[in-house]
Structure formats: C-alpha cells, structure tokens
Amino acid sequence: MAKSDPRRITRTMPATQLVALLLAFVLAAGVGGVLAAGLVIPMVAGANAAADSTVAIYDEVPAELEPRPMSQQSRIYAADGKLLATFYAQNRIVVPLDEISEPMQHAVIAIEDERFYEHGGIDVQGMTRALANNVAGHATQGASTLTQQYVKNMLIDQALQDGDQFGVIKASEDSISRKLTEAKMAISLEKTMSKDEVLQGYLNAAQFGSRSIYGVEAAARYYFDKHASKLSVVEAATIAGITKSPSRFDPTVNPKEAKERRDLVLQNMWKLGYISTEERDEAKAASIKKTLDVNPTEIGCAAAGDSAFFCDYVTKEIVTNPVFGETKSERQQLLYRGGLEIHTTLDPKKQKAAAKAVKNAVPAGDSSGLQSAIASVEPGTGKVLAMAQNIPYTPSEGGKGTTRVNYAADPTHGASGGFQVGSNFKPFVLAEWLKEGHTLSERVNATKQARWPQNFQTPCVGNLAAAEPWAPANSEGVEVGYISALEATYESVNTAYAAMGYQLNLCDLRSTAWDIGFRPTRSVQDGGRVVTDPKESDIDIQAPMIIGTQESTPLYQAAAYATLASGGTYCSPIAITSITGPGGKDYDVPDAKCKKDALPENVANTVVFAMEKVFSGTGTARQLGGLADGRPVAGKTGTSQLSAQTWFTGFTPNLSTSVWVGNADRPNEDHTNGMWVNGKWVRVLYGSTVAAPAWKEYMDQAVSDLPVKDFGAPDPKMVGVTAPPPSTNDDGGGSNDDGGGSNDDGGDKGKEPKGDEGNDRGGNGNGNGNGNGRANAEAAWDAVQNGDWESLGDAWGDN
C-alpha cells in the first residue's frame, strides 16, 4: 500500500491552540520572515503526526490570493428601466467604497477589527488578547482581521464559482491548513492592496443575513430599502453586527439578539471616537423593529408578475446562446453570478394591457379549459414589446393552475411545441400568388373539390403520393362558387385558397413564407418532430400547408406579420437591447438581422390592402370594426381543424400583435360543439370569437400613444383593376347584374346560379361587367387613378 501523503492531512484543533499557532507564526515572521515562520509552527502545535506535517502543509499554501470578480446578482429591466427580476446564487451587489456610508465603514471596523489601519494583515495584539482570553476559560475568541475574513470569503466564493464543494469545505473549516492559508494570504494581500481596497472588498464579500444576503449594498436594500451610501449610524451598526453569525444575528429572525449585538457595535464605535455619546445613546434607544424597512429580493422570474413569461424568454436567450459562454453551465453561472445588467425591449404599458386582455378573454381556470397567449412586436426593429398569457407562471412544473410553458414562444425559449396556425397562413399564400403574376381580382372556383396531393406543383421534392385526395371544406361545409382572391382572403375561404394553391409552386410558397417570417415549431414531414432551430426546409411542402396545418407560435406570427406591416422588412424577434457586466463590460446581444425587401414592397402593400378588408363588409373580423381611433389596420383570423386552435394576428404600420386561444394540453380537442367561455356560450370557436376581441382590446390601448400612420399603397396591377372597356349597353343590361349568389351573415359564400359559372359578376373574369358591375368598375378605376384606396375597396372590393 502506498504511503499516505502527509500534505493531505487536515487537522482541526481547539481555538486556543489555533490562536497560539498563529501567534507563533506571526512572531516568527517578524524575526525571520514569512517563509521561515513555517518552521517554528510544529514546536507550538505539539509533537505528533499531524503537527509534524504542518511544515509540508504550509509549503503548499499559496503565497498570494488572486481576487476574481465576486458573485453578484444579475438584474433584468424593462425598456423604461423598471426592474423586472433578479437572479443570484449569492444576493450581492458590488459597489465602490465611496458608495458606502462612513458609519457603515466605521461600524465593521469597530466590531470586527479595531486596529485595521495599524496591522499588516494579521493583528498580533489581537491574537495575544484572544489567546489570554481563551486560556483563562472565558468565551472563546478568534483573532481574524478584516483582511483574513476577506481572504476566507474570497476563497469560498471562488470555490463556489468553480463548483468545487470540497474547496468550500476547506475554506470554511477550523483547521491548521485554513488558518495558515488565511494568514499567509492576508500578509501578502496587504502588500498589493491598500487598506481602503481591502475594506471595500470585505464590505462587498461578507454575508449579512440568513437569506443569502452578501455585501452591504444588498443588505442595505433588504433591511432598510435604501442604498449603502445612505445608511445611518443605527442602520450601519445593525448590519455590521450580523456578519459574526448571519442566522443568529439576523434582525428579521432574532430581533432581541440582533439588538444586543447592534448595541455592542455602537459601544465600540463610541469607544473609537466614531460617534458621540449622544449619537450612541440615541441609537441604542431605537428598537430594531421600528428601524427596519424590509424589502425582500425575490429570485427569478416569478417576481416579474405579469411579465414573468417575457422574463423567462430573456433568461432562455442567455442560457441557450453560445455568445454568453461555451457551455450551458457557464452561461447559467454568468446569469446567476455575473452581475449582469440586462436591459430589454419590454414596454410596461403595453405589457400591462396585454396581460389584461388575455385574462379578460379567458380567465385562468376557466371552465372551458382554454388557454390564451399574446405577443406584440415592433415592425422594422423586431423588438418584442409585450408577451403574456392567461395561465400564471411557475419556474417548475407541478403547481396546480400554473405552468412553466410559454405558449407565445418557441420550443427553445418557451418549451412550447406551437399550434396549428390555420388561416393565419393565408397571407403567405396570397403573397406568393401575387409574386407569380396573379391578382386580387382574379377569380377561382371555390366550390369544394377533391385534388390529389401529387398533382400539386412540388418540383423541389418530387411528386408527393397520397392514399386519398385532399378536399378541404369551409365553415359549415358551404360551397361558394367563383370568387376573387380578395374576397377569398377577407372571408377566409378554404376552398378558394385550395384552388389558388393548386396553381402555385409550393416550393416557392415555402420560400416566400420563410422570407416573410413563418417559422414552424414542428416538422410534419419528419413525424411531428419539435423544431428547435427552424430552417426553410422544415416548412411543410404538402398541399394542406396552404390552409395552415403546420404549427407556429404567437411571437413568430407577430414577427412575420410585422414584415407585411413594414412594407417587406423582416426582423427576427429580439428581447434584449444591452447587457453590461461589472466594470462596464459590454456583451454582444442577439441581433434582429433585419432584412429589407424580404418581400417586395409592392407585394407586401397589396397583401396588406386585402387584409384591411377583414374588418369590414363580410370580412371575418367585421364585428371589430377596426380600432377605436379609426387608424389603418389589417389582420387575419385563423382556425385549425375542429376549431382546436384559434388565432387573430393583426397590425398597424407600427405595431404587430398575435393572439392565440386554444388548448395546449389537448391540441386536437373539438371546439365545434358549443362551450362556455368566460361565462358566455360559444356555439363554435373561431379566430373571430375570442382571439379577435382580445386582440382589439389590447391594440386599442397599445396604439393610443403611437402616431397614426398609413400603409403603403397597393400595386394597381396586382390589385387587378384595369380601365373598363367602352360601354355598349346604356341601361346596364345583362341578366347577371352582380354575379348572383348571396352572402350569409357568417361570411360564407352561397352557390353561383347554375349555367352561369363562367360569367359570374358580369362574366368577364376580372370583376368589370355590365349594369351596376360596370358602374362599380368605373368607380374602382377612378379610385386607382386618384390613389383613393378606401374608395377602391368600397367600389370594387365588395363588388
């Protein structure tokens, strides 16, 4: 068996022997130097194996302490500077000495090291006193100076930062090795640091409470709700008295013992001349309870209230992004120990309105079992201005009526697999429709038809065989005949969009959807795999994609629609504007990577023109009537199969917002058979039923302080309005004045009159017919010539 290494011996001993040991060390150091002192120690410690090994132990002790930045709390702020949340392994805020009041500096010196400015790191006089006291059998005393205590605290903190639990134990135990380490390092430290630097280090390092309170700044904020620079004599004495035994002398836990300890600090301050007799007596007369103004520092995003899910999104951005560290562990250490000042994009006013809107729509614990979420983005910048949901936040699963899943966010930032977007996908289809040379006025047969998926254009993946044809239906199964692409959009007609998609290259549609900002959260072609890092190839290429069978999130949808709102500029969502560490170190933060002309401006503006009609006439959100102040607005409803998931995403030129209402736990639940939602009977759940009113409630508040802006003008060629031919029929004639058919009040089109399928609405395929049809065509042409797009919608869009 190998002989044990004597340097590995850790020997504990009574305080009397330890003090004697250190005293001998110091006395020897004064004669023969620090290194020679190690040779004297065994004579004092006694002749035994452990003591004989002390020279070897001493030789192992490093001569210098290299202070690292101490663990500090990190803080997340809203855009206006309001604190959202605090994160820490040790609740510490490092401040310079000039931001710590003189009474606080004097108090710790008075109670912990009254000869601080006289010794060189170790107090020989104090050791002698302690040794005499201990030998006499009085209450045990130590002899550690502030410098030694600072060394101890730094060693513990460094071991914690390194995840070295044995190092923590070693730096805390009453052993020869630890005392030698402190003594040797303290002497060395005072050769490289000034007294004020040591005092500053101690005041920032020491523990001042039983609730992980470290440093006087955190203590001042916790016990007295003020900065350390403002601490009075009595407050400083209270804090200084705690560090000897943070649990025992915590004034919120043991006020009686805390007062006795505080009064001892005050007596010492008086003895050293730091305070007058009057100040001492006045401070001693104050009760602990009356002086306290406790302000607890909650840890984590739960403290952010209604902003908790946004806060959680920000933390996920840090712990998952390699820019903040090579490993997840390093990034977590940075968040909880790095002292980061994290400034975000969150607009508190909009956030408050968002949280209220989704909770008013579906209260938490509603009998419907529905959940709701909202995300709001600034077009042209990608800034996430609001993010909320109706179910309260919890940092871990298991709490009844709470969740850690952020329904508005993607799998990486929120652990959500997303939800089928339904007709919220149609604007992407319309954009590709226009890019391929079609127009809003072009008519398609919206009668329900069965089409084989392999007959759709998918050149990038080849023919996609299917066991049965695809035959999507409309709400309540109504067939509608021939309608324009414009009408198919604002009335959200699935069968019409199926006909439009049949004419498109679905590979190009995928690219267009990606460019605009559609980001899938599940891969249909890969068995429903959750997508954590979406790519264009993850967008489904099969025919049902046309009506939104793939999953995404409210934040992704808000960002994609922001591309339309901005005239074609796509920006990735960003939540962080800056991160600063101790000493003013700036960290790189995620960039929105805004891409101008992600969608051609004329295409974007023409799609928006169609989406504006959703709020009027027979549009699916006509009941909203737009926003309260009448500003330009566009949007789109979305409803998945069986109404399981419902959406409304809409925007003004300066704000894009998406609202989702559905069931995250049962994503295929049937919501077509009637249900009570927030005390109201809902026959069928559509995007217009709950999500759209919630969107309007939020947007009316959110845009109230934003300037009113107009959308860009649509491209007349893409609208498809052309000069009407010369009139050949004075009385309007014709037997088909408006193309027949009828609209019910739910927005579904009726069947076209038989025998007239090729001549609906005047019979020439572009909306310009005889009689009233011709009059409207002329009015539409005049509107185009004058740039009067509102009149164009009245004259032609509803024709």
Side-chain angles (χ1 to χ4, degrees):
M1 177 180 292
K3 185 178 180 180
S4 62
D5 185 345
R7 292 177 298 176
R8 298 299 176 193
I9 296 174
T10 297
R11 179 171 181 249
T12 60
M13 58 175 60
T16 301
Q17 195 172 8
L18 278 173
V19 172
L21 174 69
L22 286 172
L23 182 58
F25 170 82
V26 174
L27 292 173
V31 176
V34 173
L35 296 179
L39 302 176
V40 179
I41 292 174
M43 299 169 52
V44 180
N48 55 48
D52 288 341
S53 69
T54 305
V55 173
I57 294 173
Y58 176 79
D59 288 340
E60 278 198 329
V61 174
E64 295 181 359
L65 173 68
E66 297 181 4
R68 295 189 219 161
M70 285 179 282
S71 295
Q72 296 190 60
Q73 62 172 234
S74 293
R75 288 168 285 186
I76 298 178
Y77 300 92
D80 66 351
K82 177 185 177 183
L83 180 66
L84 295 178
T86 304
F87 297 83
Y88 56 83
Q90 294 181 331
N91 184 14
R92 175 186 288 115
I93 305 169
V94 174
V95 293
L97 193 64
D98 61 9
E99 292 182 18
I100 300 172
S101 73
E102 280 197 352
M104 186 70 247
Q105 298 176 40
H106 295 159
V108 295
I109 292 172
I111 194 63
E112 295 294 331
D113 189 359
E114 63 184 48
R115 280 173 293 279
F116 172 68
Y117 285 107
E118 299 169 15
H119 62 65
I122 294 179
D123 183 6
V124 176
Q125 184 177 343
M127 287 182 180
T128 304
R129 171 189 49 75
L131 177 60
N133 179 85
N134 296 344
V135 169
H138 299 308
T140 301
Q141 291 183 0
S144 292
T145 63
L146 284 180
T147 313
Q148 288 174 270
Q149 292 180 53
Y150 174 51
V151 168
K152 175 183 176 181
N153 286 325
M154 288 299 294
L155 291 174
I156 291 173
D157 184 65
Q158 290 180 5
L160 286 170
Q161 290 189 47
D162 294 338
D164 181 5
Q165 293 303 315
F166 290 106
V168 175
I169 295 172
K170 185 177 179 180
S172 306
E173 64 187 1
D174 287 328
S175 67
I176 298 173
S177 177
R178 190 206 112 199
K179 288 295 183 181
L180 283 173
T181 297
E182 288 179 9
K184 189 175 181 181
M185 286 186 173
I187 293 172
S188 177
L189 196 66
E190 291 226 359
K191 293 180 179 180
T192 59
M193 294 177 67
S194 70
K195 285 292 185 179
D196 281 354
E197 288 173 334
V198 172
L199 180 59
Q200 174 181 293
Y202 172 82
L203 287 168
N204 281 300
Q207 184 175 357
F208 290 104
S210 59
R211 293 173 174 82
S212 189
I213 301 169
Y214 292 83
V216 293
E217 178 67 17
R221 295 188 187 191
Y222 177 77
Y223 294 113
F224 303 108
D225 194 20
K226 62 175 58 175
H227 292 290
S229 61
K230 303 297 183 181
L231 290 170
S232 66
V233 169
V234 68
E235 293 164 347
T238 301
I239 292 175
I242 297 171
T243 191
K244 179 178 177 63
S245 180
S247 296
R248 178 183 174 188
F249 296 121
D250 187 326
T252 65
V253 177
N254 298 306
K256 182 178 179 181
E257 291 193 65
K259 184 179 187 305
E260 292 174 356
R261 180 71 177 171
R262 180 203 70 185
D263 290 352
L264 177 60
V265 176
L266 292 168
Q267 186 67 22
N268 283 11
M269 293 176 73
W270 171 81
K271 182 180 72 174
L272 294 176
Y274 288 138
I275 58 175
S276 66
T277 302
E278 182 180 359
E279 287 176 310
R280 179 199 64 184
D281 294 344
E282 181 180 352
K284 282 186 174 183
S287 72
I288 287 287
K289 184 177 181 180
K290 289 184 178 180
T291 58
L292 294 178
D293 183 9
V294 178
N295 180 35
T297 302
E298 294 185 64
I299 183 172
C301 288
D306 287 336
S307 302
F309 287 101
F310 175 84
C311 169
D312 188 70
Y313 183 94
V314 171
T315 66
K316 296 297 194 301
E317 184 62 42
I318 293 172
V319 301
T320 63
N321 196 324
V323 74
F324 299 110
E326 292 185 3
T327 67
K328 183 177 180 180
S329 177
E330 289 178 0
R331 297 189 288 265
Q332 288 177 326
Q333 285 281 328
L334 180 65
L335 176 62
Y336 282 87
R337 296 183 180 277
L340 303 180
E341 296 285 293
I342 305 164
H343 293 270
T344 72
T345 59
L346 189 74
D347 184 317
K349 178 182 176 181
K350 291 178 176 57
Q351 178 63 26
K352 182 178 180 180
K356 182 179 179 181
V358 290
K359 291 177 182 178
N360 285 347
V362 185
D366 190 67
S367 61
S368 65
L370 297 175
Q371 291 106 25
S372 59
I374 186 172
S376 200
V377 170
E378 182 177 67
T381 68
K383 291 181 179 180
V384 182
L385 303 181
M387 178 185 289
Q389 62 192 52
N390 67 327
I391 307 300
Y393 171 83
T394 182
S396 58
E397 285 298 342
K400 185 177 181 180
T402 61
T403 184
R404 67 180 179 87
V405 178
N406 186 345
Y407 304 133
D410 60 279
T412 298
H413 294 88
S416 170
F419 314 98
Q420 287 188 347
V421 298
S423 294
N424 241 217
F425 192 83
K426 286 175 180 171
F428 312 140
V429 180
L430 183 61
E432 179 59 26
W433 173 263
L434 298 174
K435 286 175 69 176
E436 292 194 18
H438 300 282
T439 68
L440 294 183
S441 66
E442 186 173 334
R443 299 178 183 283
V444 294
N445 190 348
T447 303
K448 181 178 179 180
Q449 298 181 49
R451 296 179 176 87
W452 288 96
Q454 52 264 43
N455 292 334
F456 282 77
Q457 301 174 50
T458 56
C460 56
V461 294
N463 291 333
L464 298 173
E468 58 185 23
W470 180 55
N474 300 314
S475 301
E476 302 179 7
V478 177
E479 298 174 352
V480 293
Y482 279 83
I483 61 173
S484 68
L486 177 68
E487 189 174 356
T489 300
Y490 64 71
E491 290 188 356
S492 196
V493 183
N494 289 341
T495 50
Y497 262 80
M500 291 164 64
Y502 192 68
Q503 301 179 53
L504 301 178
N505 182 326
L506 299 191
C507 298
D508 291 341
L509 169 57
R510 176 168 68 179
S511 296
T512 294
W514 176 263
D515 289 343
I516 294 173
F518 180 74
R519 299 292 182 265
T521 54
R522 290 187 185 274
S523 174
V524 176
Q525 55 259 35
D526 198 7
R529 170 182 59 87
V530 172
V531 178
T532 56
D533 183 20
K535 300 176 179 61
E536 182 179 326
S537 58
D538 292 314
I539 298 179
D540 188 16
I541 202 68
Q542 302 179 54
M545 71 182 287
I546 296 165
I547 57 172
T549 53
Q550 200 163 15
E551 292 86 353
S552 192
T553 70
L555 181 56
Y556 278 156
Q557 287 297 94
Y561 277 45
T563 303
L564 302 172
S566 64
T569 298
Y570 172 70
C571 300
S572 299
I574 58 168
I576 302 172
T577 55
S578 69
I579 298 180
T580 305
K585 177 182 178 181
D586 290 326
Y587 289 83
D588 291 333
V589 297
D591 182 57
K593 299 177 182 177
C594 294
K595 182 181 179 182
K596 190 173 178 61
D597 296 327
L599 184 68
E601 185 175 8
N602 60 338
V603 175
N605 292 343
T606 306
V607 172
V608 171
F609 172 74
M611 295 171 69
E612 288 183 276
K613 313 308 172 191
V614 167
F615 295 92
S616 60
T618 56
T620 55
R622 60 190 177 278
Q623 79 279 11
L624 301 184
L627 296 179
D629 61 5
R631 70 177 63 210
V633 63
K636 186 70 192 72
T637 51
T639 306
S640 70
Q641 184 74 7
L642 299 177
S643 294
Q645 313 297 339
T646 65
W647 298 74
F648 192 85
T649 307
F651 51 87
T652 66
N654 38 24
L655 189 64
S656 177
T657 301
S658 184
V659 175
W660 160 82
V661 175
N663 194 311
D665 304 317
R666 298 184 294 276
N668 298 312
E669 186 173 69
D670 189 346
H671 296 146
T672 64
N673 296 316
M675 62 194 308
W676 290 95
V677 181
N678 194 16
K680 298 178 182 178
W681 178 253
V682 174
R683 184 172 62 87
V684 178
L685 188 67
Y686 294 120
S688 60
T689 310
V690 180
W695 175 89
K696 175 177 167 57
E697 179 184 337
Y698 164 73
M699 287 290 285
D700 279 340
Q701 296 296 316
V703 303
S704 62
D705 59 351
L706 298 178
V708 176
K709 293 184 178 180
D710 292 322
F711 293 116
D715 186 331
K717 294 180 180 178
M718 291 181 175
V719 173
V721 177
T722 59
S727 174
T728 58
N729 190 339
D730 291 339
D731 61 4
S735 60
N736 189 23
D737 57 353
D738 65 355
S742 62
N743 292 337
D744 64 15
D745 59 4
D748 296 310
K749 292 297 296 179
K751 294 182 179 179
E752 294 290 325
K754 290 185 178 181
D756 204 18
E757 289 184 355
N759 192 35
D760 63 296
R761 299 213 180 176
N764 69 355
N766 67 2
N768 301 330
N770 295 321
N772 291 339
R774 176 177 179 79
N776 286 340
E778 292 174 343
W781 176 247
D782 289 340
V784 170
Q785 294 297 102
N786 296 322
D788 186 356
W789 303 110
E790 183 175 353
S791 296
L792 173 63
D794 295 336
W796 178 82
D798 293 331
N799 179 33

